[in-house]
DNA sequence: ACACATTGTTCAGTAAATAAGAACAATGTT
DNA sequence: AACATTGTTCTTATTTACTGAACAATGTGT
């Protein structure tokens, strides 16, 4: 089968009227053009152009092939442009998965912003806490809150959160107001996030770590529910700032041990398949989110 | 612009369902197929196939490109087959030029034979004594009677003729019956072919050359006319056997000095442009003529 | 008819592209 | 959890294509 470049060269030779002229138009030397034509003729087993050093004329076969060649080269270019545009045009769908709590509380606004800025992009947002399978379910992007990250997926960190220990005034009045991690060891109860470890880690300003294991008052796998339970006075809770900040701001919860770093910080990632050629709109959205959350304060 | 082989590989990958299977179908190794796909995607700047080591699925772009690719590859194959067939099929026109006298007298029969054997070939025969310009006038083939041959054209010898000295009985009765070249020097006249040299050369059986220069009774540039003039007794004439043999056979002319070789033999050539890819029908005709005239006796 | 510039081809050397094969990590299955 | 199979990557080898110069062919203009 032929090389497209040879076809293109043949067309140029015909239209330019000579091999030398074609070479110039193709930004190469005449010997290369001559070789391409010879090669094409050899592979076809047909003389395409009857030529002397001064004149050239298409043979019957050449005439016929010329028209086919034009069609092929045009189709090729069209096919290429088709998919290239598809990638570079913003227009298109982005299917993304976001965690339910974080998504509803903090991604609603940026996603609406993005949609206003790029109305030709259709966002298809799936709020879902299960670990969706990006590749098999056709997701372009997922937002994940976690410390660890799947292998074989690319993760770009877009925000960092902190874990905050808090309780309601009602709880504190009943169980006391701890000032150090050690104060927790007596008469306190925790609300446990289902997948979290049993131990709480607190790091003081000297960098020393304090491991605390409290009796559990309740277990759940939903941050907002736990936040509500804490507001209700059910126990101490260690929550990411993006969940509890608003309640603290409203005075429903009180932040405890503010001078200690609680647990390891959680990162928020944009996760996507390791495509060499990510559609532009997806790249753009990732960038937009990273910018949006840079210096963002959760309240 | 893309390499067609990459397109074809992409199609095979899609249809075979995996890179390994495609490699097998394409008689190559999977690494090569993987590279071709990567290359294609890179040049397009788009992911075509979303793949893990176990599953593969076309992206939107891939789906679109797949259909274009099939069209292109098919068009390519069709264009190729089109011109290849045109060359290998016998059907088609052969435009050939033949000298008038020789053509009418000795090529009429073989050409009719050829046409019967290959009725799908259309012969376009131009009887013409001028030197046609093969390349510019679109001739596939010319038959030439000459000692020398143009450069830059390919010549295949298809027959050899001999020059025969002859005269009519009427002439001989009036001027005597020469037995040796020397006998010619007294009381003889020649009919001269326009483009021929003035001297006649005769080689005897010992290889000795005799140069004879006779007074000219008449000059013409047509062999048949000269033959008729000789029959009429106008003079001695040196004619190629293909012109005078019939008259000798009929007793209208007498061959003189049969033991001497007259002049250099003339060759008959099939002449054609130096195409690397001569259409099959033309090659066939050349071969046919060479066979036909091998061992042919002009009478 | 003749020198002349220009053209297309060829050749040898070089650069680039591609293929091959081994090693490796990913993945789904038994 | 072991396993076979898959796709990718890397290095090496091979093939292919380009380059630039030399050359012969050809038409032009004098």
């Amino acid at each position: 089968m032929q090389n497209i470049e040879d076809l293109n060269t043949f067309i140029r030779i015909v239209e330019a009227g000579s091999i030398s002229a074609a070479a110039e138009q193709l930004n190469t030397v005449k010997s290369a053009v001559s070789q391409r034509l010879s090669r094409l003729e050899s592979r076809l087993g047909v003389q395409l152009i009857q030529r002397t050093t001064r004149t050239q004329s298409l043979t019957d076969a050449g005439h016929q092939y010329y028209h086919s060649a034009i069609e092929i080269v045009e189709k090729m270019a069209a096919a290429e442009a088709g998919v290239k545009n598809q990638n570079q045009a913003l227009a298109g769908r982005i299917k993304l998965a976001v965690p339910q709590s974080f998504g509803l509380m903090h991604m609603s606004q940026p996603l609406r912003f993005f949609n206003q800025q790029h109305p030709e992009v259709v966002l298809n947002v799936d709020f879902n806490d299960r670990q969706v399978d990006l590749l098999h379910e056709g997701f372009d992007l997922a937002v994940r809150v976690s410390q660890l990250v799947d292998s074989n997926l690319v993760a770009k960190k877009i925000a960092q959160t902190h874990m905050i220990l808090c309780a309601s005034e009602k709880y504190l009045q009943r169980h006391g107001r701890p000032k150090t991690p050690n104060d927790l060891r007596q008469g306190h109860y925790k609300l446990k996030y289902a997948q979290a470890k049993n131990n709480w880690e607190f790091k003081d300003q000297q960098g020393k770590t304090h491991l605390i294991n409290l009796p559990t008052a309740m277990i759940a796998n939903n941050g907002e529910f736990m936040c509500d339970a804490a507001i209700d006075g059910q126990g101490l809770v260690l929550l990411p700032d993006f969940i509890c900040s608003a309640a603290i701001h409203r005075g429903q919860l009180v932040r405890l041990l503010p001078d200690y770093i609680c647990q390891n910080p959680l990162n928020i990632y944009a996760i996507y398949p390791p495509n060499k050629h990510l559609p532009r709109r997806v790249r753009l959205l990732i960038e937009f989110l990273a910018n949006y959350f840079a210096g963002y304060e959760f309240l």
Side-chain angles (χ1 to χ4, degrees), chain A:
Chain A
M1 193 83 62
Q2 301 309 319
N3 187 331
I4 277 283
E5 204 43 46
D6 289 350
L7 291 210
N8 197 42
T9 300
F10 169 56
I11 294 171
R12 283 264 65 72
I13 295 173
V14 173
E15 293 178 356
S18 80
I19 288 182
S20 295
E24 198 164 350
Q25 290 181 20
L26 293 164
N27 286 318
T28 182
V29 291
K30 54 187 181 169
S31 63
V33 174
S34 169
Q35 282 173 18
R36 287 186 203 161
L37 178 57
S38 302
R39 193 164 58 220
L40 182 59
E41 289 179 330
S42 277
R43 287 191 229 189
L44 291 173
V46 181
Q47 187 97 357
L48 295 174
I49 298 180
Q50 193 71 270
R51 49 200 185 277
T52 72
T53 59
R54 296 284 150 177
T55 62
Q56 76 177 25
S57 68
L58 280 175
T59 63
D60 289 352
H63 200 260
Q64 178 186 325
Y65 199 68
Y66 171 68
H67 294 292
S68 302
I70 285 183
E71 265 194 82
I72 292 167
V73 168
E74 279 176 358
K75 265 212 185 316
M76 194 91 188
E80 205 165 320
V83 294
K84 270 196 175 143
N85 284 341
Q86 182 170 330
N87 202 40
Q88 293 189 344
L90 280 175
R93 195 200 55 153
I94 302 179
K95 187 174 174 190
L96 77 161
V98 297
Q100 199 136 34
S101 301
F102 180 75
L104 289 174
M105 293 172 76
H106 295 100
M107 295 215 39
S108 173
Q109 197 180 31
L111 290 179
R112 279 182 283 111
F113 271 8
F114 184 82
N115 205 37
Q116 278 164 26
Q117 277 181 35
H118 305 291
E120 66 277 29
V121 176
V122 177
L123 291 178
N124 180 344
V125 190
D126 184 4
F127 293 94
N128 199 322
D129 280 334
R130 85 190 150 80
Q131 295 261 92
V132 297
D133 183 333
L134 292 200
L135 287 98
H136 291 105
E137 298 184 46
F139 281 96
D140 294 297
L141 186 65
V143 173
R144 294 266 168 83
V145 180
S146 66
Q147 288 173 309
L148 290 171
V149 154
D150 300 19
S151 61
N152 93 314
L153 288 175
V154 181
K156 180 178 169 60
K157 181 173 157 187
I158 56 176
Q160 191 176 37
T161 72
H162 298 279
M163 299 304 285
I164 292 175
L165 180 67
C166 44
S168 66
E169 195 59 39
K170 181 173 158 195
Y171 173 91
L172 295 173
Q173 282 170 5
R174 238 191 301 154
H175 296 85
R177 206 171 296 266
K179 298 293 178 202
T180 70
N182 267 336
D183 293 347
L184 296 171
R185 298 188 193 275
Q186 290 298 334
H188 284 284
Y189 299 91
K190 73 175 173 194
L191 306 175
K192 182 174 175 281
Y193 185 68
Q195 285 129 308
K197 287 181 286 184
N198 268 324
N199 286 330
W200 283 352
E201 285 176 34
F202 296 92
K203 217 173 265 177
D204 60 28
Q205 284 163 338
Q206 283 76 44
K208 204 181 155 204
T209 300
H210 305 261
L211 278 177
I212 306 294
N213 194 349
L214 296 189
T216 303
M218 190 180 272
I219 299 177
N221 69 350
N222 181 285
E224 284 173 276
F225 173 80
M226 285 167 68
C227 187
D228 287 342
I231 288 169
D232 211 31
Q234 310 277 327
L236 296 169
V237 72
L238 193 61
L239 286 172
D241 50 7
F242 66 80
I243 289 184
C244 62
S245 291
I248 293 172
H249 206 67
R250 287 193 299 266
Q252 299 175 299
L253 289 178
V254 176
R255 177 171 187 182
L256 301 172
L257 312 183
D259 300 330
Y260 292 81
I261 294 166
C262 312
Q263 214 78 16
N264 290 320
L266 282 178
N267 291 325
I268 297 177
Y269 296 98
I271 297 193
Y272 48 94
N275 287 1
K276 294 207 189 63
H277 311 286
L278 209 59
R280 189 159 82 95
R281 56 185 177 279
V282 178
R283 276 202 307 277
L284 213 66
L285 175 56
I286 294 170
E287 220 170 288
F288 172 86
L289 291 175
N291 284 336
Y292 180 88
F293 286 111
Y296 183 87
E297 286 289 317
F298 294 104
L299 350 135

